[in-house]
PDB file of all heavy atoms in Angstrom:
ATOM      1  N   GLU A 684      10.050   4.989  -2.656  1.00 95.00           N
ATOM      2  CA  GLU A 684       9.874   5.059  -1.209  1.00 95.00           C
ATOM      3  C   GLU A 684       8.865   6.223  -0.823  1.00 95.00           C
ATOM      4  O   GLU A 684       8.206   6.025   0.039  1.00 95.00           O
ATOM      5  CB  GLU A 684      11.278   5.463  -0.612  1.00 95.00           C
ATOM      6  CG  GLU A 684      11.228   5.542   0.907  1.00 95.00           C
ATOM      7  CD  GLU A 684      12.563   5.843   1.567  1.00 95.00           C
ATOM      8  OE1 GLU A 684      13.238   6.658   0.971  1.00 95.00           O
ATOM      9  OE2 GLU A 684      12.916   5.111   2.652  1.00 95.00           O
ATOM     10  N   ALA A 685       8.960   7.272  -1.593  1.00 92.00           N
ATOM     11  CA  ALA A 685       7.971   8.334  -1.359  1.00 92.00           C
ATOM     12  C   ALA A 685       6.554   7.926  -1.601  1.00 92.00           C
ATOM     13  O   ALA A 685       5.529   8.403  -0.955  1.00 92.00           O
ATOM     14  CB  ALA A 685       8.354   9.622  -2.232  1.00 92.00           C
ATOM     15  N   GLU A 686       6.291   7.003  -2.541  1.00 87.00           N
ATOM     16  CA  GLU A 686       4.980   6.421  -2.805  1.00 87.00           C
ATOM     17  C   GLU A 686       4.581   5.269  -1.837  1.00 87.00           C
ATOM     18  O   GLU A 686       3.545   4.828  -2.019  1.00 87.00           O
ATOM     19  CB  GLU A 686       4.976   5.854  -4.232  1.00 87.00           C
ATOM     20  CG  GLU A 686       5.153   6.916  -5.330  1.00 87.00           C
ATOM     21  CD  GLU A 686       5.148   6.364  -6.780  1.00 87.00           C
ATOM     22  OE1 GLU A 686       4.688   5.171  -6.814  1.00 87.00           O
ATOM     23  OE2 GLU A 686       5.446   7.181  -7.666  1.00 87.00           O
ATOM     24  N   GLY A 687       5.469   4.978  -0.987  1.00 89.00           N
ATOM     25  CA  GLY A 687       5.173   3.973  -0.028  1.00 89.00           C
ATOM     26  C   GLY A 687       5.291   2.612  -0.504  1.00 89.00           C
ATOM     27  O   GLY A 687       4.774   1.595   0.232  1.00 89.00           O
ATOM     28  N   LEU A 688       5.909   2.326  -1.546  1.00 92.00           N
ATOM     29  CA  LEU A 688       6.004   0.991  -2.074  1.00 92.00           C
ATOM     30  C   LEU A 688       7.361   0.356  -1.688  1.00 92.00           C
ATOM     31  O   LEU A 688       7.534  -0.868  -1.512  1.00 92.00           O
ATOM     32  CB  LEU A 688       6.089   1.023  -3.661  1.00 92.00           C
ATOM     33  CG  LEU A 688       4.715   1.446  -4.147  1.00 92.00           C
ATOM     34  CD1 LEU A 688       4.784   1.501  -5.753  1.00 92.00           C
ATOM     35  CD2 LEU A 688       3.583   0.449  -3.770  1.00 92.00           C
ATOM     36  N   LEU A 689       8.413   1.106  -1.291  1.00 96.00           N
ATOM     37  CA  LEU A 689       9.787   0.553  -0.888  1.00 96.00           C
ATOM     38  C   LEU A 689      10.083   1.227   0.437  1.00 96.00           C
ATOM     39  O   LEU A 689       9.644   2.422   0.766  1.00 96.00           O
ATOM     40  CB  LEU A 689      10.803   0.829  -1.900  1.00 96.00           C
ATOM     41  CG  LEU A 689      10.690   0.169  -3.305  1.00 96.00           C
ATOM     42  CD1 LEU A 689      11.988   0.556  -4.103  1.00 96.00           C
ATOM     43  CD2 LEU A 689      10.673  -1.356  -3.122  1.00 96.00           C
ATOM     44  N   ARG A 690      10.912   0.526   1.189  1.00 97.00           N
ATOM     45  CA  ARG A 690      11.537   1.033   2.428  1.00 97.00           C
ATOM     46  C   ARG A 690      13.050   0.832   2.244  1.00 97.00           C
ATOM     47  O   ARG A 690      13.424  -0.340   2.107  1.00 97.00           O
ATOM     48  CB  ARG A 690      11.004   0.336   3.742  1.00 97.00           C
ATOM     49  CG  ARG A 690      11.463   1.145   5.001  1.00 97.00           C
ATOM     50  CD  ARG A 690      10.752   0.410   6.177  1.00 97.00           C
ATOM     51  NE  ARG A 690       9.365   0.632   6.159  1.00 97.00           N
ATOM     52  CZ  ARG A 690       8.443  -0.385   6.283  1.00 97.00           C
ATOM     53  NH1 ARG A 690       8.907  -1.580   6.513  1.00 97.00           N
ATOM     54  NH2 ARG A 690       7.104  -0.115   6.252  1.00 97.00           N
ATOM     55  N   LEU A 691      13.820   1.915   2.265  1.00 97.00           N
ATOM     56  CA  LEU A 691      15.242   1.799   1.970  1.00 97.00           C
ATOM     57  C   LEU A 691      16.066   1.607   3.257  1.00 97.00           C
ATOM     58  O   LEU A 691      15.811   2.256   4.211  1.00 97.00           O
ATOM     59  CB  LEU A 691      15.752   3.035   1.181  1.00 97.00           C
ATOM     60  CG  LEU A 691      14.870   3.355   0.046  1.00 97.00           C
ATOM     61  CD1 LEU A 691      15.573   4.544  -0.775  1.00 97.00           C
ATOM     62  CD2 LEU A 691      14.866   2.211  -0.968  1.00 97.00           C
ATOM     63  N   TYR A 692      17.035   0.607   3.115  1.00 95.00           N
ATOM     64  CA  TYR A 692      17.960   0.439   4.246  1.00 95.00           C
ATOM     65  C   TYR A 692      19.462   0.567   3.770  1.00 95.00           C
ATOM     66  O   TYR A 692      19.762  -0.231   2.939  1.00 95.00           O
ATOM     67  CB  TYR A 692      17.721  -1.068   4.774  1.00 95.00           C
ATOM     68  CG  TYR A 692      16.377  -1.241   5.515  1.00 95.00           C
ATOM     69  CD1 TYR A 692      15.318  -1.689   4.774  1.00 95.00           C
ATOM     70  CD2 TYR A 692      16.226  -0.876   6.790  1.00 95.00           C
ATOM     71  CE1 TYR A 692      14.004  -1.930   5.346  1.00 95.00           C
ATOM     72  CE2 TYR A 692      14.923  -1.069   7.391  1.00 95.00           C
ATOM     73  CZ  TYR A 692      13.908  -1.644   6.740  1.00 95.00           C
ATOM     74  OH  TYR A 692      12.647  -1.790   7.290  1.00 95.00           O
ATOM     75  N   PRO A 693      20.038   1.627   4.272  1.00 88.00           N
ATOM     76  CA  PRO A 693      21.502   1.742   3.720  1.00 88.00           C
ATOM     77  C   PRO A 693      22.316   0.497   3.812  1.00 88.00           C
ATOM     78  O   PRO A 693      22.307  -0.154   4.856  1.00 88.00           O
ATOM     79  CB  PRO A 693      21.893   2.923   4.681  1.00 88.00           C
ATOM     80  CG  PRO A 693      20.714   3.652   5.159  1.00 88.00           C
ATOM     81  CD  PRO A 693      19.714   2.597   5.249  1.00 88.00           C
ATOM     82  N   LYS A 694      23.016   0.166   2.775  1.00 85.00           N
ATOM     83  CA  LYS A 694      23.908  -0.872   2.714  1.00 85.00           C
ATOM     84  C   LYS A 694      23.303  -2.253   2.667  1.00 85.00           C
ATOM     85  O   LYS A 694      23.972  -3.213   2.631  1.00 85.00           O
ATOM     86  CB  LYS A 694      24.987  -0.831   3.756  1.00 85.00           C
ATOM     87  CG  LYS A 694      25.788   0.531   3.733  1.00 85.00           C
ATOM     88  CD  LYS A 694      26.986   0.455   4.793  1.00 85.00           C
ATOM     89  CE  LYS A 694      27.761   1.701   4.746  1.00 85.00           C
ATOM     90  NZ  LYS A 694      28.878   1.747   5.783  1.00 85.00           N
ATOM     91  N   ARG A 695      21.987  -2.280   2.832  1.00 90.00           N
ATOM     92  CA  ARG A 695      21.253  -3.604   2.835  1.00 90.00           C
ATOM     93  C   ARG A 695      20.303  -3.696   1.547  1.00 90.00           C
ATOM     94  O   ARG A 695      20.158  -4.922   1.115  1.00 90.00           O
ATOM     95  CB  ARG A 695      20.403  -3.717   4.127  1.00 90.00           C
ATOM     96  CG  ARG A 695      21.234  -3.759   5.412  1.00 90.00           C
ATOM     97  CD  ARG A 695      20.341  -3.894   6.615  1.00 90.00           C
ATOM     98  NE  ARG A 695      19.340  -5.033   6.516  1.00 90.00           N
ATOM     99  CZ  ARG A 695      18.249  -5.114   7.185  1.00 90.00           C
ATOM    100  NH1 ARG A 695      18.020  -4.183   8.161  1.00 90.00           N
ATOM    101  NH2 ARG A 695      17.425  -6.106   7.007  1.00 90.00           N
ATOM    102  N   GLY A 696      19.800  -2.574   1.140  1.00 94.00           N
ATOM    103  CA  GLY A 696      18.853  -2.748  -0.056  1.00 94.00           C
ATOM    104  C   GLY A 696      17.493  -2.153   0.220  1.00 94.00           C
ATOM    105  O   GLY A 696      17.410  -1.208   1.108  1.00 94.00           O
ATOM    106  N   ALA A 697      16.559  -2.617  -0.558  1.00 97.00           N
ATOM    107  CA  ALA A 697      15.204  -1.983  -0.335  1.00 97.00           C
ATOM    108  C   ALA A 697      14.208  -3.095  -0.161  1.00 97.00           C
ATOM    109  O   ALA A 697      14.249  -4.075  -0.761  1.00 97.00           O
ATOM    110  CB  ALA A 697      14.852  -1.347  -1.721  1.00 97.00           C
ATOM    111  N   LEU A 698      13.382  -2.861   0.833  1.00 97.00           N
ATOM    112  CA  LEU A 698      12.403  -3.858   1.225  1.00 97.00           C
ATOM    113  C   LEU A 698      11.057  -3.391   0.426  1.00 97.00           C
ATOM    114  O   LEU A 698      10.634  -2.205   0.550  1.00 97.00           O
ATOM    115  CB  LEU A 698      11.998  -3.791   2.747  1.00 97.00           C
ATOM    116  CG  LEU A 698      10.886  -4.622   3.215  1.00 97.00           C
ATOM    117  CD1 LEU A 698      11.120  -6.058   3.211  1.00 97.00           C
ATOM    118  CD2 LEU A 698      10.464  -4.181   4.694  1.00 97.00           C
ATOM    119  N   VAL A 699      10.356  -4.332  -0.114  1.00 96.00           N
ATOM    120  CA  VAL A 699       9.066  -4.060  -0.824  1.00 96.00           C
ATOM    121  C   VAL A 699       8.082  -4.068   0.385  1.00 96.00           C
ATOM    122  O   VAL A 699       7.809  -5.125   1.164  1.00 96.00           O
ATOM    123  CB  VAL A 699       8.573  -5.124  -1.762  1.00 96.00           C
ATOM    124  CG1 VAL A 699       7.325  -4.890  -2.386  1.00 96.00           C
ATOM    125  CG2 VAL A 699       9.732  -5.158  -2.888  1.00 96.00           C
ATOM    126  N   VAL A 700       7.367  -2.990   0.603  1.00 93.00           N
ATOM    127  CA  VAL A 700       6.538  -2.813   1.690  1.00 93.00           C
ATOM    128  C   VAL A 700       5.294  -3.657   1.525  1.00 93.00           C
ATOM    129  O   VAL A 700       4.549  -3.506   0.513  1.00 93.00           O
ATOM    130  CB  VAL A 700       6.066  -1.301   1.868  1.00 93.00           C
ATOM    131  CG1 VAL A 700       5.002  -1.112   3.039  1.00 93.00           C
ATOM    132  CG2 VAL A 700       7.282  -0.407   2.235  1.00 93.00           C
ATOM    133  N   PRO A 701       4.969  -4.549   2.416  1.00 90.00           N
ATOM    134  CA  PRO A 701       3.699  -5.371   2.276  1.00 90.00           C
ATOM    135  C   PRO A 701       2.448  -4.514   2.278  1.00 90.00           C
ATOM    136  O   PRO A 701       2.377  -3.546   2.816  1.00 90.00           O
ATOM    137  CB  PRO A 701       3.780  -6.340   3.544  1.00 90.00           C
ATOM    138  CG  PRO A 701       5.168  -6.183   3.958  1.00 90.00           C
ATOM    139  CD  PRO A 701       5.722  -4.844   3.731  1.00 90.00           C
ATOM    140  N   VAL A 702       1.380  -5.148   1.668  1.00 84.00           N
ATOM    141  CA  VAL A 702       0.059  -4.508   1.664  1.00 84.00           C
ATOM    142  C   VAL A 702      -0.492  -4.685   3.085  1.00 84.00           C
ATOM    143  O   VAL A 702      -0.702  -5.764   3.629  1.00 84.00           O
ATOM    144  CB  VAL A 702      -0.875  -5.115   0.672  1.00 84.00           C
ATOM    145  CG1 VAL A 702      -2.251  -4.503   0.806  1.00 84.00           C
ATOM    146  CG2 VAL A 702      -0.310  -4.845  -0.774  1.00 84.00           C
ATOM    147  N   ALA A 703      -0.744  -3.536   3.781  1.00 82.00           N
ATOM    148  CA  ALA A 703      -1.295  -3.678   5.141  1.00 82.00           C
ATOM    149  C   ALA A 703      -2.768  -4.044   5.108  1.00 82.00           C
ATOM    150  O   ALA A 703      -3.465  -3.653   4.153  1.00 82.00           O
ATOM    151  CB  ALA A 703      -1.111  -2.243   5.782  1.00 82.00           C
ATOM    152  N   PRO A 704      -3.189  -4.819   6.031  1.00 78.00           N
ATOM    153  CA  PRO A 704      -4.616  -5.171   6.077  1.00 78.00           C
ATOM    154  C   PRO A 704      -5.540  -4.038   6.017  1.00 78.00           C
ATOM    155  O   PRO A 704      -6.621  -4.031   5.428  1.00 78.00           O
ATOM    156  CB  PRO A 704      -4.803  -5.921   7.322  1.00 78.00           C
ATOM    157  CG  PRO A 704      -3.381  -6.522   7.685  1.00 78.00           C
ATOM    158  CD  PRO A 704      -2.513  -5.479   7.105  1.00 78.00           C
ATOM    159  N   GLY A 705      -5.199  -2.986   6.825  1.00 85.00           N
ATOM    160  CA  GLY A 705      -6.047  -1.809   6.746  1.00 85.00           C
ATOM    161  C   GLY A 705      -6.145  -1.045   5.437  1.00 85.00           C
ATOM    162  O   GLY A 705      -7.191  -0.587   4.984  1.00 85.00           O
ATOM    163  N   GLU A 706      -5.054  -1.245   4.650  1.00 85.00           N
ATOM    164  CA  GLU A 706      -5.057  -0.523   3.327  1.00 85.00           C
ATOM    165  C   GLU A 706      -5.979  -1.350   2.421  1.00 85.00           C
ATOM    166  O   GLU A 706      -6.695  -0.700   1.617  1.00 85.00           O
ATOM    167  CB  GLU A 706      -3.583  -0.532   2.760  1.00 85.00           C
ATOM    168  CG  GLU A 706      -3.461   0.068   1.366  1.00 85.00           C
ATOM    169  CD  GLU A 706      -2.143  -0.175   0.647  1.00 85.00           C
ATOM    170  OE1 GLU A 706      -1.221  -0.557   1.458  1.00 85.00           O
ATOM    171  OE2 GLU A 706      -1.978   0.211  -0.470  1.00 85.00           O
ATOM    172  N   ALA A 707      -5.906  -2.693   2.477  1.00 84.00           N
ATOM    173  CA  ALA A 707      -6.811  -3.445   1.719  1.00 84.00           C
ATOM    174  C   ALA A 707      -8.289  -3.096   1.888  1.00 84.00           C
ATOM    175  O   ALA A 707      -9.090  -2.997   0.981  1.00 84.00           O
ATOM    176  CB  ALA A 707      -6.543  -4.930   1.930  1.00 84.00           C
ATOM    177  N   ASP A 708      -8.650  -2.990   3.165  1.00 89.00           N
ATOM    178  CA  ASP A 708     -10.002  -2.732   3.550  1.00 89.00           C
ATOM    179  C   ASP A 708     -10.463  -1.351   2.979  1.00 89.00           C
ATOM    180  O   ASP A 708     -11.588  -1.066   2.461  1.00 89.00           O
ATOM    181  CB  ASP A 708     -10.259  -2.710   5.026  1.00 89.00           C
ATOM    182  CG  ASP A 708     -10.322  -4.219   5.589  1.00 89.00           C
ATOM    183  OD1 ASP A 708     -10.492  -5.148   4.737  1.00 89.00           O
ATOM    184  OD2 ASP A 708     -10.109  -4.396   6.806  1.00 89.00           O
ATOM    185  N   ASP A 709      -9.555  -0.340   3.142  1.00 91.00           N
ATOM    186  CA  ASP A 709      -9.807   0.941   2.647  1.00 91.00           C
ATOM    187  C   ASP A 709      -9.974   1.023   1.185  1.00 91.00           C
ATOM    188  O   ASP A 709     -10.931   1.660   0.552  1.00 91.00           O
ATOM    189  CB  ASP A 709      -8.762   1.961   2.975  1.00 91.00           C
ATOM    190  CG  ASP A 709      -8.606   2.250   4.493  1.00 91.00           C
ATOM    191  OD1 ASP A 709      -9.604   1.982   5.119  1.00 91.00           O
ATOM    192  OD2 ASP A 709      -7.555   2.762   4.880  1.00 91.00           O
ATOM    193  N   VAL A 710      -9.207   0.255   0.381  1.00 89.00           N
ATOM    194  CA  VAL A 710      -9.288   0.287  -1.033  1.00 89.00           C
ATOM    195  C   VAL A 710     -10.596  -0.395  -1.512  1.00 89.00           C
ATOM    196  O   VAL A 710     -11.246   0.053  -2.450  1.00 89.00           O
ATOM    197  CB  VAL A 710      -8.003  -0.386  -1.686  1.00 89.00           C
ATOM    198  CG1 VAL A 710      -8.273  -0.681  -3.108  1.00 89.00           C
ATOM    199  CG2 VAL A 710      -6.765   0.441  -1.551  1.00 89.00           C
ATOM    200  N   LEU A 711     -10.877  -1.550  -0.797  1.00 89.00           N
ATOM    201  CA  LEU A 711     -12.116  -2.226  -1.329  1.00 89.00           C
ATOM    202  C   LEU A 711     -13.344  -1.456  -0.924  1.00 89.00           C
ATOM    203  O   LEU A 711     -14.315  -1.451  -1.711  1.00 89.00           O
ATOM    204  CB  LEU A 711     -12.166  -3.648  -0.555  1.00 89.00           C
ATOM    205  CG  LEU A 711     -11.075  -4.642  -0.956  1.00 89.00           C
ATOM    206  CD1 LEU A 711     -11.111  -5.847  -0.220  1.00 89.00           C
ATOM    207  CD2 LEU A 711     -11.272  -4.916  -2.493  1.00 89.00           C
ATOM    208  N   ASP A 712     -13.321  -0.773   0.166  1.00 93.00           N
ATOM    209  CA  ASP A 712     -14.566   0.091   0.577  1.00 93.00           C
ATOM    210  C   ASP A 712     -14.640   1.235  -0.397  1.00 93.00           C
ATOM    211  O   ASP A 712     -15.723   1.608  -0.927  1.00 93.00           O
ATOM    212  CB  ASP A 712     -14.407   0.641   1.929  1.00 93.00           C
ATOM    213  CG  ASP A 712     -14.563  -0.396   3.047  1.00 93.00           C
ATOM    214  OD1 ASP A 712     -15.105  -1.499   2.764  1.00 93.00           O
ATOM    215  OD2 ASP A 712     -14.211  -0.166   4.218  1.00 93.00           O
ATOM    216  N   ALA A 713     -13.567   1.764  -0.837  1.00 92.00           N
ATOM    217  CA  ALA A 713     -13.635   2.919  -1.807  1.00 92.00           C
ATOM    218  C   ALA A 713     -14.041   2.403  -3.153  1.00 92.00           C
ATOM    219  O   ALA A 713     -14.877   3.016  -3.854  1.00 92.00           O
ATOM    220  CB  ALA A 713     -12.113   3.539  -1.879  1.00 92.00           C
ATOM    221  N   ARG A 714     -13.581   1.196  -3.582  1.00 90.00           N
ATOM    222  CA  ARG A 714     -14.039   0.653  -4.863  1.00 90.00           C
ATOM    223  C   ARG A 714     -15.542   0.465  -4.781  1.00 90.00           C
ATOM    224  O   ARG A 714     -16.240   0.734  -5.789  1.00 90.00           O
ATOM    225  CB  ARG A 714     -13.361  -0.657  -5.027  1.00 90.00           C
ATOM    226  CG  ARG A 714     -11.983  -0.473  -5.536  1.00 90.00           C
ATOM    227  CD  ARG A 714     -11.360  -2.002  -5.772  1.00 90.00           C
ATOM    228  NE  ARG A 714     -12.066  -2.731  -6.682  1.00 90.00           N
ATOM    229  CZ  ARG A 714     -11.839  -4.026  -6.962  1.00 90.00           C
ATOM    230  NH1 ARG A 714     -10.886  -4.599  -6.330  1.00 90.00           N
ATOM    231  NH2 ARG A 714     -12.601  -4.664  -7.820  1.00 90.00           N
ATOM    232  N   LEU A 715     -16.110  -0.023  -3.705  1.00 94.00           N
ATOM    233  CA  LEU A 715     -17.560  -0.236  -3.642  1.00 94.00           C
ATOM    234  C   LEU A 715     -18.374   1.032  -3.888  1.00 94.00           C
ATOM    235  O   LEU A 715     -19.345   1.117  -4.663  1.00 94.00           O
ATOM    236  CB  LEU A 715     -17.909  -0.860  -2.288  1.00 94.00           C
ATOM    237  CG  LEU A 715     -19.473  -1.153  -2.097  1.00 94.00           C
ATOM    238  CD1 LEU A 715     -19.951  -2.173  -3.100  1.00 94.00           C
ATOM    239  CD2 LEU A 715     -19.675  -1.626  -0.711  1.00 94.00           C
ATOM    240  N   LEU A 716     -17.945   2.110  -3.140  1.00 95.00           N
ATOM    241  CA  LEU A 716     -18.594   3.387  -3.236  1.00 95.00           C
ATOM    242  C   LEU A 716     -18.468   3.945  -4.653  1.00 95.00           C
ATOM    243  O   LEU A 716     -19.462   4.311  -5.224  1.00 95.00           O
ATOM    244  CB  LEU A 716     -17.954   4.337  -2.268  1.00 95.00           C
ATOM    245  CG  LEU A 716     -18.237   4.121  -0.799  1.00 95.00           C
ATOM    246  CD1 LEU A 716     -17.428   5.096   0.025  1.00 95.00           C
ATOM    247  CD2 LEU A 716     -19.725   4.198  -0.441  1.00 95.00           C
ATOM    248  N   VAL A 717     -17.310   3.919  -5.191  1.00 95.00           N
ATOM    249  CA  VAL A 717     -17.022   4.481  -6.515  1.00 95.00           C
ATOM    250  C   VAL A 717     -17.779   3.715  -7.604  1.00 95.00           C
ATOM    251  O   VAL A 717     -18.429   4.289  -8.565  1.00 95.00           O
ATOM    252  CB  VAL A 717     -15.562   4.596  -6.845  1.00 95.00           C
ATOM    253  CG1 VAL A 717     -15.346   4.967  -8.260  1.00 95.00           C
ATOM    254  CG2 VAL A 717     -14.916   5.619  -5.919  1.00 95.00           C
ATOM    255  N   GLU A 718     -17.657   2.373  -7.630  1.00 96.00           N
ATOM    256  CA  GLU A 718     -18.218   1.642  -8.774  1.00 96.00           C
ATOM    257  C   GLU A 718     -19.777   1.454  -8.732  1.00 96.00           C
ATOM    258  O   GLU A 718     -20.345   1.380  -9.761  1.00 96.00           O
ATOM    259  CB  GLU A 718     -17.479   0.219  -8.838  1.00 96.00           C
ATOM    260  CG  GLU A 718     -16.016   0.386  -9.119  1.00 96.00           C
ATOM    261  CD  GLU A 718     -15.299  -0.903  -9.347  1.00 96.00           C
ATOM    262  OE1 GLU A 718     -15.853  -1.756 -10.111  1.00 96.00           O
ATOM    263  OE2 GLU A 718     -14.196  -1.029  -8.808  1.00 96.00           O
ATOM    264  N   VAL A 719     -20.275   1.445  -7.496  1.00 96.00           N
ATOM    265  CA  VAL A 719     -21.813   1.362  -7.521  1.00 96.00           C
ATOM    266  C   VAL A 719     -22.351   2.677  -7.981  1.00 96.00           C
ATOM    267  O   VAL A 719     -23.326   2.698  -8.704  1.00 96.00           O
ATOM    268  CB  VAL A 719     -22.226   1.021  -6.040  1.00 96.00           C
ATOM    269  CG1 VAL A 719     -23.722   1.210  -5.866  1.00 96.00           C
ATOM    270  CG2 VAL A 719     -21.898  -0.370  -5.638  1.00 96.00           C
ATOM    271  N   HIS A 720     -21.741   3.822  -7.509  1.00 96.00           N
ATOM    272  CA  HIS A 720     -22.124   5.035  -8.032  1.00 96.00           C
ATOM    273  C   HIS A 720     -21.995   5.218  -9.472  1.00 96.00           C
ATOM    274  O   HIS A 720     -22.903   5.615 -10.246  1.00 96.00           O
ATOM    275  CB  HIS A 720     -21.437   6.227  -7.277  1.00 96.00           C
ATOM    276  CG  HIS A 720     -21.918   7.562  -7.670  1.00 96.00           C
ATOM    277  ND1 HIS A 720     -23.118   8.189  -6.985  1.00 96.00           N
ATOM    278  CD2 HIS A 720     -21.511   8.378  -8.582  1.00 96.00           C
ATOM    279  CE1 HIS A 720     -23.208   9.358  -7.623  1.00 96.00           C
ATOM    280  NE2 HIS A 720     -22.294   9.556  -8.531  1.00 96.00           N
TER     281      HIS A 720
END
């Protein structure tokens, strides 16, 4: 949960946090900068 992968709900369980569209764009942009360099 601290890493942002799970969201805990008491007595219900743990939800796997979906990949947010903004996160995908951020990671891909970072990959481009890092790998081209």
Side-chain angles (χ1 to χ4, degrees):
E684 182 179 44
E686 294 180 10
L688 294 177
L689 296 182
R690 187 176 300 130
L691 306 185
Y692 294 93
K694 299 182 180 180
R695 292 179 54 195
L698 172 73
V699 180
V700 178
V702 175
E706 178 185 356
D708 286 338
D709 288 347
V710 171
L711 292 174
D712 288 346
R714 282 179 57 187
L715 178 64
L716 292 173
V717 169
E718 294 187 45
V719 168
H720 183 84

